[in-house]
Amino acid sequence: MNKKGNKKKSFATCLVWGMLWGIVLGVAIDKLAMGIALGNMFGTMYYLFSANSDKNSNDENKENS
């Protein structure tokens, strides 16, 4: 069964949040392009790590059933 609170974050959501934090970081270090690039990188990495952990937890749940 799918639970409402157990949804996986979409790639677009992670990328947008990464870009927003990247803009803030870029303004703080006075290099906007570098901040946006770092934000994209961190957003993508967060998505990949969270997607990997969700896949592992789903595999464990199937084995226990």
Side-chain angles (χ1 to χ4, degrees):
M1 284 193 242
N2 292 336
K3 296 180 182 178
K4 289 184 180 181
N6 215 6
K7 287 179 126 180
K8 185 176 125 183
K9 294 183 180 178
S10 69
F11 177 69
T13 304
C14 293
L15 193 61
V16 166
W17 278 108
M19 285 183 69
L20 288 174
W21 284 108
I23 290 170
V24 171
L25 177 68
V27 169
I29 63 173
D30 201 26
K31 293 184 180 181
L32 189 58
M34 180 181 276
I36 292 173
L38 287 173
N40 282 335
M41 181 187 70
F42 288 131
T44 304
M45 287 174 52
Y46 177 73
Y47 174 76
L48 292 174
F49 287 134
S50 66
N52 190 15
S53 64
D54 287 345
K55 181 180 175 186
N56 290 339
S57 66
N58 287 339
D59 291 342
E60 290 174 2
N61 289 339
K62 288 179 183 178
E63 290 175 0
N64 292 336
S65 298

